[in-house]
Every structure is written in structure tokens, then in C-alpha cells.
Amino acid sequence: MTGGKKRNQILRFHLPSGILVLYTLLAGLPLLLLSVQAFTAVAGGETEWRTLVFPQGRRLALLLQTLGFAFSVAIPGTLIGFAGAATLRFTRSRRIRHLSAFLIPSAAIPPHIHAMAWSVLVFWINGLLKRSGLPPLQDQGFIISVWVQMMALLPFAFGIMLLTLSGISNDLLEASRVTAPDRRTILRILFPIALPGLSTSFSFLFLVSLLDYSVPSLFQLNLYTLGIFSEYSIRYDASHAFLMSVPLLFLSLPAAWLLQRSLRRLPLIPSGSGREARWPLRLPFWMHGLSCLSVLLLLLQLLVPLAVLAVQSLPALSSMDWLTDSLPDMGISLLIGVGTAFLTLPFAHAAALSIDSRRHNRHAWWWLVMLPLALPAPLIGIALIHTWNAGAFSWTSLYNTLFMPILACTLRFLPFAVFLLLSFLKRVDRNLIGAALILQKNSLHTLFRIFLPMLSGAYLGAGLLVAVLAIGELGATLLLTPPGAGTLTLKIYNYLHYGSSEAVSGLCLLLYLIALGIGLFLQKTATSNNRRPA
Amino acid sequence: MNMVNENEAAPVLSLRNLVCRRGERIILDGINLDVPAGAHLCIRGPSGCGKSTLLRAIAGLDIPAGGTVSIRDRLVSGAGAWVQPHLRGLGFVFQTPALWPHMTIAENIRFGLHGMGKGASSERTDHLLKRFSLSDLRNRHPDEISGGEARRASIARSMAPHPALLLLDEPMTHLDESLKEDALDFLLEEAEEAHTTLLLVTHDAGEAARVSARSLLFQEGGWVLA
């Protein structure tokens, strides 16, 4: 093997594999040690394990409530995302089509901002209803939790479905249109071809709602994941927490399997063969109604937080004390965000390259990267505590540093970065790389002059995406943030438990604008990378 | 410009002053054409002259800016009329095979036969599978067959509902000569038997000569019947 070929092999296969082994060590080892500890406890006579693994009574009710919550968010969320995306994809109005430029970036807005805005809105509406002598809306419990969680996740459902529908060639639809009415085209052609997108959206919304307790806890709705966190806070028993997570894992692992399977089938490349749809779909009345409603709901999730927070925070603008008081928390949040971006990118790069390759182990990497999506956030936090505080990595003295929340956020949000990089990698014209490989001085020449510049927007986008998600993360940072350090999200979350104030609204508005700005930048990067080479 | 055919047979397709725009740009400007039943007509011209736009306007996939389209003496577009594509009684073969990936080849062909009974639709599907040498592939999905087979399946699908008029938009693009010959043979045999009118957009003079003696040509900024 020549030196050049050897270097090429190292860059393309060995280096990514090495990085992924490191990732496996960082992500897998804590979980492995936790599970070993739990099984040892069971073998050593832990008597409670049966009731933990097969929950009964209050725990079973909590689990069923969590399952009901996840389905209640995922099913309507997916349908609304599909109907909204179909409306924007097939409309002849350019103005309506351009709405997607704002709707997808709103996915970056943290869920607790939605919680804040909707709780204020419900408070205002209830004031009006009370004056009119009408019964108030529920401001706590299941229904409002489902509503707010769905609003927070709608941009994801919409984005996934728009990506799916953009990948469907118009020829496929028009071929049906010349022989069948539009209703039949939608039900027999569009719906089945869009199935990977529907199952991706459903499984993603289901997983997030099953495993994330931040929104429901703000509306006094107890979910199973919150139970894990609460019991761990009382007992400080990692085996107990792991065994308690098992029933949830029985539900989340199949959903994660469905998610990774659907993601693999998702058309990541916009269809270039079809010209823009030049005809509006003639929909039956109920479909037309659903599509109008879905666009309205998508607009509401974008505009309600902005309008409510702006009105609510107006009095706070006279004094900026709330902003100066929060500067240390903002600094910590920024450090966690930037740190997560820097730690995630090498792993995401290696994983995306390995998954995009034709090597036989690509499915294993895909599955490994997706696995953290199936784990409750507190479980990730607990596993890291027990490995880095008193376990295998305690000698590093990294526990009680910001490295811990950064590591937790890296594990939680790596799948998002990988997916983004992968979608860019799939769009790279292989001939461009082929031409460089023929003309290159050596493989580093191609890597630095061709490959990385072509994907620079993707790396920047992936970095910003995980940074903004890490800034809004709660489940793991709540457990892992070092004493004396607080994040902006933790501060807002704690304030929200005591009711809203002008200062909290100001902070939420600030976070909203930052998140939306980053989202808009990501969108611009993605569309500029859509351009095909000449 | 007037390209009314002197053939006395009743026209299956009539265009009167057809105008198509893309944005501000006029693509087709006042086309008049009568195509008699059973005729085969090729449409040729340089890229961007409006060949595909013409077919799409006839099919109802694009909405013309002016003029009328009539199919079998029925006004389907213009003068206040608009008939949806699936009610125009025509077939369309696209530049890509456009086979639905979630259906087998037989299911793709059967899709347009929703007006027929189950027995009749099965019989028609079997006939077309046999005619286009696709019987062995009936249960395969589009990603499991070759490009030439996909092209034949696409033509078979568009002919399944017995369309009076079949519009073909460069259907043989990217096929090698022998596959092109095969697909043309199948197409012409079935069209002769069913007395189907063909409008074929093509760049290939040889292909045009095999399909028809007459062509609608775009020359020096205008359309002529040659």
C-alpha cells in the first residue's frame, strides 16, 4: 500500500472509527457500569426489583399516564405537521410557501419558553372568562401539558414532513393525477410514499414526550421520568433508578428502533426532477379544513410566545437589573453550549462518515448514535454521576466541573448533529470528490481544500444546533451542574415554579430571540447548501 | 399560425390559440392544432421551446394562460371550462418512469383501472404485463427492476385505462438503442391495437421517423407541421 493510500485509509476509516470507540467509551461505559451495578444488586438479594421492573399500583398508573401523554402529543402533532407541510409544499402562493422559513427555525425555541407563554395566555384568557361568568380553562394538568408539549414539538414534525414531501418527485404525483382524483392521489400515493416521514415524526415526538418531563412538571403533571428523578433525589440509589427505568426502556427502545429505521429511509435529498407543483391539490372538505387548521396552529406556536412575552416583559424594560442579574447564568449557559458544540462535532463527523460509508458496520454505528434518544435524561445524568464521581473515571477530577453537563448534552444531542451532517453529506455530489481525488496532491489536500470547505456550513449548523439545544436542556443539567453554577434555563425553570414575572418574561423573550435567530441562520445555511454543482 | 390537419377523421385533440406562460415569459403563443383519432404525431424542437409545456397543458398539469383545449369534442380547458386531469381520458408518460415505489409493477399498472370490475382489471393488467414482457416481474417493486423494464412498465401503466390520447414526454431518454427499440415496438403494437392517438415529444429524429411520418417542429421561432 502506498503512503497516500495509507493516509487516505486512516482519514476515511481508522480515524472516524477511533473517535467512535472513544464515544462508545464515554457514552456506553457509564450505562454499562450502571446496568452491571443494578444486576449485581438484584443478584445480591435486592428484593424490590420485581416491583420496579414490573410496576404496579401508583407506578403503573404513572407509566400509563406517561404513555397516554406521549401518544396524545405524537399522533396529533404528526398529523398537523403532515397537513401543514403538505399545504406549504403544494400551495401556489409564494407567500404561504415562504412561511416555512420561519416555522422550521422555531424548533430551536426551548419548550419551557412555550410553557411560560401559554401559561400567561391562559391566565389572561381565564381573567376574561371570569369577568364574563364563564368557567375557566384548565391551567394545570394533562390537557394543557399535551397542548404546550405539542406546540413546542410542532416545528420538528413540520420540518420532518416538509423534508419528506420535498423529496417526493412531482412526477410520481402527476402520474397518479392523470388517472385518479386528488383524494385518491393523496391517500394511495402521497401518504404511503411519505410513510417514512410520518413514522420518523411520530417516533421522535413520542420519544421526546415519553422521556422529557420539563413541560409537564411545570403544569403539575407527574410523569414516570420525573418519578425516576424524584426517587433518585431522595434515595441516591443508582441501581434503584436504573431498575425503575426498565419499564420505560421497554417502551422507548422500540420507538428508537422505529426512529432510526424511518430516518434511514427518509429522502434527505430534495427531489430535483420535478418542477414546482403548478396546480393546487383539490382536497375534500375535511382535508382542506385540516390543512388550514394546521397552518394556523403552526403560526400560533411561533407567534403566541413572541407576542405574550413581549407584552409581559414591557414593564421590565424600564430597569435592566433582571438582565445584569442573569449575566453569570448566561455565561455558564454559553459555556455549556459552546463546549457541547466543540465536543459533539468530532463525534458527529466520525459517526456521519461511518454511517454514510458502505461498510457493513454502519448500521451498528447508526443504532449506537440513536441510542441516547431512547434514554430518559435523568438516567443519563445518574449514569454519569456514578461513573465520574465515584466510579471508573473519578480519578479525572472532572466531576463538579462544567464538563459533566457538557458531556451529558453531547450524549443527548449527538443524534441531531449526526442527522444534520448526514443530510448534507448525502447532497454532496460524489463526482466533486472524485475529481479532487484524481487531481489531489495528497488526501489531506482533498480533505482541507475540498471536503471541509464544502461542508463548512453543515459543521457550523450542527455546532449551533447542539449549542442551542444544550442551552435549553434541563433533564440532565439539573443533576449535573456543579454547585454554585446555574444555567439560564435552570433559572427560568425555577422562576416558573413560583409563577411568572416581568423579569422571567424578559429572560424568556431574550432566549426566544436568540434561539429563533440561530434557527434562521441554520435554515439559511441549509438552503444555501442545497445548491447543486454545475 | 394554423396547423389544422387536413385529414378528415374527427380530431381527438383540438387546440385553439393556446397560450402558456411561465411567469412573465410566454412559452407557447397561440398554438392551433387538430390531431385526428389514431394518429401518431411527434413534437420536436430545441430545449426550452415549450414541447413539455404543450403536453402538460393538454393533460391539465399546467394551467394555460389562454386559448382552449378540447379532447374528443369536449372542451376541457379555456372559455370558462376546466376539467381535472384524471377526467380527460388521456395517458401521460413522463421523462422519468415515475413508478410508485411502494407498489409492485402489477399494482402500478392496476392503479388507473379503478373504474373497472376486479376481474376486468386483473385481465387488463395481465394482458399489459404479457404485452410488455413484464409477467415475470409483476410482483417486483420498481427498485428491483432495470431501467428498460421500468420504462416499459411506465408505458404499460399509462395505457392501462385505454386512453384515447397518450402523451409521451421524451419517454426513451437515457435508454440505449436496443432497449429503446424494444420499448417503441411494445408501444406501437399496443397503440395500433387500441387505436390510441400518440403525441410524442422527442429529440431523436430516428425515433420520430419510426413513430410517425408527421412531426410538429419548432423552427426559426415558430411551430410548423412537417
Side-chain angles (χ1 to χ4, degrees):
Chain A
M1 193 183 281
T2 63
K5 259 189 178 176
K6 208 181 247 177
R7 202 179 300 127
N8 202 22
Q9 282 284 325
I10 289 170
L11 282 173
R12 285 182 65 191
F13 302 118
H14 302 314
L15 189 63
S17 298
I19 294 172
L20 283 177
V21 169
L22 180 66
Y23 166 75
T24 311
L25 196 72
L26 286 173
L29 192 67
L31 290 163
L32 189 69
L33 290 176
L34 190 59
S35 54
V36 168
Q37 191 180 336
F39 286 122
T40 313
V42 171
E46 157 74 78
T47 51
E48 216 186 343
W49 72 271
R50 274 179 216 278
T51 55
L52 290 171
V53 174
F54 304 105
Q56 293 165 352
R58 193 188 68 82
R59 278 206 195 105
L60 180 62
L62 202 57
L63 186 67
L64 291 176
Q65 178 158 279
T66 309
L67 194 62
F69 175 75
F71 274 118
S72 304
V73 172
I75 293 172
T78 299
L79 287 177
I80 292 167
F82 174 75
T87 308
L88 264 66
R89 164 79 168 83
F90 298 114
T91 181
R92 295 179 73 197
S93 158
R94 282 189 175 208
R95 279 186 195 165
I96 295 180
R97 261 206 308 273
H98 287 162
L99 277 180
S100 63
F102 294 94
L103 294 176
I104 296 173
S106 60
I109 299 165
H112 54 268
I113 307 268
H114 287 273
M116 166 79 192
W118 285 99
S119 63
V120 171
L121 185 67
V122 168
F123 177 76
W124 289 346
I125 293 172
N126 280 346
L128 290 175
L129 291 173
K130 197 177 173 186
R131 258 178 267 157
S132 315
L134 294 167
L137 298 175
Q138 270 191 6
D139 58 359
Q140 289 185 346
F142 190 85
I143 292 173
I144 188 153
S145 300
V146 167
W147 176 263
V148 174
Q149 180 85 352
M150 192 177 78
M151 284 287 142
L153 295 178
L154 268 187
F156 285 99
F158 171 76
I160 291 167
M161 290 318 307
L162 195 64
L163 182 70
T164 307
L165 296 178
S166 306
I168 298 174
S169 160
N170 279 331
D171 285 358
L172 292 176
L173 304 177
E174 289 178 346
S176 163
R177 247 201 140 200
V178 291
T179 53
D182 286 352
R183 189 176 57 84
R184 193 169 146 88
T185 300
I186 291 168
L187 295 177
R188 291 286 311 275
I189 305 298
L190 186 63
F191 227 70
I193 298 178
L195 212 54
L198 287 164
S199 59
T200 301
S201 169
F202 170 79
S203 47
F204 178 74
L205 266 60
F206 179 83
L207 268 177
V208 174
S209 306
L210 190 74
L211 302 175
D212 186 54
Y213 63 80
S214 58
V215 166
S217 71
L218 289 169
F219 294 101
Q220 312 302 321
L221 179 72
N222 273 345
L223 291 188
Y224 199 84
T225 336
L226 185 63
I228 297 170
F229 172 73
S230 309
E231 291 210 18
Y232 178 75
S233 303
I234 297 164
R235 292 170 171 241
Y236 197 65
D237 182 347
S239 308
H240 183 90
F242 180 83
L243 291 170
M244 197 180 161
S245 304
V246 171
L248 210 54
L249 293 175
F250 274 126
L251 299 171
S252 64
L253 284 170
W257 176 82
L258 178 66
L259 177 63
Q260 60 86 29
R261 192 167 181 269
S262 317
L263 269 175
R264 283 213 309 263
R265 295 175 178 200
L266 212 57
L268 295 174
I269 307 162
S271 125
S273 63
R275 56 183 83 190
E276 272 182 6
R278 302 170 77 82
W279 35 266
L281 285 166
R282 281 168 190 253
L283 303 173
F285 177 73
W286 65 272
M287 277 192 193
H288 189 66
L290 182 64
S291 71
C292 291
L293 180 70
S294 60
V295 173
L296 179 72
L297 290 174
L298 283 159
L299 285 173
L300 279 181
Q301 68 77 30
L302 178 72
L303 297 176
V304 164
L306 180 65
V308 170
L309 295 174
V311 171
Q312 179 83 350
S313 58
L314 270 180
L317 293 177
S318 54
S319 154
M320 299 303 274
D321 289 348
W322 57 273
L323 190 61
T324 45
D325 286 349
S326 304
L327 282 177
D329 304 300
M330 285 184 194
I332 299 282
S333 290
L334 197 65
L335 277 175
I336 291 177
V338 173
T340 304
F342 276 104
L343 189 59
T344 304
L345 279 181
F347 294 138
H349 166 85
L353 277 187
S354 301
I355 292 167
D356 193 44
S357 73
R358 290 182 184 168
R359 302 175 83 196
H360 62 278
N361 59 1
R362 67 184 190 278
H363 295 316
W365 290 128
W366 189 234
W367 187 213
L368 186 73
V369 165
M370 286 290 146
L371 191 61
L373 276 181
L375 303 175
L379 192 65
I380 293 179
I382 292 164
L384 291 179
I385 288 173
H386 281 263
T387 314
W388 292 81
N389 187 21
F393 298 138
S394 56
W395 55 271
T396 58
S397 305
L398 284 170
Y399 190 72
N400 275 342
T401 67
L402 283 182
F403 178 71
M404 297 311 296
I406 288 173
L407 183 58
C409 289
T410 300
L411 301 185
R412 286 204 68 195
F413 302 127
L414 180 68
F416 294 84
V418 172
F419 182 67
L420 194 75
L421 284 187
L422 207 53
S423 68
F424 278 84
L425 268 177
K426 297 263 185 210
R427 292 178 203 174
V428 170
D429 186 344
R430 302 289 146 152
N431 290 339
L432 297 180
I433 305 292
L437 290 175
I438 291 165
L439 299 169
Q440 69 182 4
K441 192 160 61 185
N442 53 45
S443 43
L444 285 174
H445 189 206
T446 296
L447 178 72
F448 288 109
R449 292 294 307 280
I450 306 294
F451 191 76
L452 290 179
M454 275 200 311
L455 288 171
S456 57
Y459 287 101
L460 188 63
L464 280 171
L465 178 68
V466 291
V468 79
L469 290 173
I471 288 171
E473 208 277 342
L474 183 80
T477 43
L478 199 59
L479 283 165
L480 292 165
T481 306
T487 66
L488 194 58
T489 297
L490 281 177
K491 186 166 186 148
I492 294 171
Y493 186 73
N494 287 332
Y495 274 141
L496 281 174
H497 274 294
Y498 305 112
S500 64
S501 71
E502 290 84 7
V504 188
S505 298
L507 286 175
C508 285
L509 184 63
L510 186 70
L511 204 51
Y512 174 98
L513 293 173
I514 292 171
L516 192 64
I518 291 176
L520 285 167
F521 177 80
L522 285 175
Q523 164 106 348
K524 194 168 174 284
T525 312
T527 41
S528 64
N529 271 266
N530 258 349
R531 273 182 251 136
R532 283 158 190 281
Chain B
M1 181 178 68
N2 194 335
M3 291 180 290
V4 176
N5 200 299
E6 52 285 340
N7 191 323
E8 284 179 10
V12 75
L13 171 72
S14 289
L15 309 178
R16 293 288 174 269
N17 294 316
L18 189 72
V19 179
C20 290
R21 292 171 188 269
R22 190 164 301 152
E24 290 302 303
R25 192 175 148 226
I26 295 175
I27 308 286
L28 296 171
D29 189 9
I31 301 275
N32 290 292
L33 178 70
D34 280 341
V35 182
H40 299 175
L41 182 68
C42 291
I43 303 170
R44 293 168 57 203
S47 296
C49 71
K51 305 182 295 292
S52 298
T53 305
L54 177 62
L55 292 199
R56 292 174 64 83
I58 294 168
L61 297 174
D62 280 355
I63 301 169
T68 61
V69 179
S70 301
I71 296 173
R72 284 191 291 185
D73 280 339
R74 181 186 178 205
L75 188 63
V76 294
S77 170
W82 175 258
V83 175
Q84 290 186 59
H86 69 282
L87 301 174
R88 295 188 180 198
L90 47 80
F92 201 114
V93 183
F94 294 85
Q95 286 180 21
T96 60
L99 294 173
W100 301 303
H102 59 294
M103 293 182 184
T104 62
I105 300 307
E107 285 167 344
N108 261 281
I109 293 172
R110 202 178 297 128
F111 179 83
L113 303 176
H114 42 89
M116 290 185 186
K118 203 174 174 184
S121 83
S122 294
E123 202 175 303
R124 178 72 179 147
T125 307
D126 290 343
H127 165 77
L128 286 165
L129 285 168
K130 200 171 165 189
R131 161 78 77 185
F132 285 84
S133 286
L134 294 165
S135 297
D136 295 342
L137 310 173
R138 62 179 305 135
N139 292 323
R140 296 226 190 139
H141 282 85
D143 59 353
E144 297 167 332
I145 62 175
S146 71
E149 289 161 348
R151 190 63 66 179
R152 294 207 305 267
S154 170
I155 297 170
R157 180 183 65 182
S158 64
M159 299 193 89
H162 295 292
L165 173 64
L166 183 62
L167 310 173
L168 303 107
D169 188 2
E170 298 183 47
M172 311 299 171
T173 313
H174 305 309
L175 286 188
D176 67 35
E177 282 307 316
S178 66
L179 289 176
K180 200 182 279 186
E181 286 295 313
D182 278 354
L184 270 178
D185 286 344
F186 288 123
L187 168 70
L188 293 173
E189 270 174 38
E190 181 64 23
E192 284 299 328
E193 196 177 294
H195 200 59
T196 309
T197 307
L198 300 183
L199 248 70
L200 171 73
V201 167
T202 179
H203 281 292
D204 184 336
E207 191 180 305
R210 269 209 65 195
V211 172
S212 166
R214 308 212 70 179
S215 285
L216 187 60
L217 285 174
F218 187 86
Q219 281 179 341
E220 295 164 7
W223 290 95
V224 290
L225 202 58

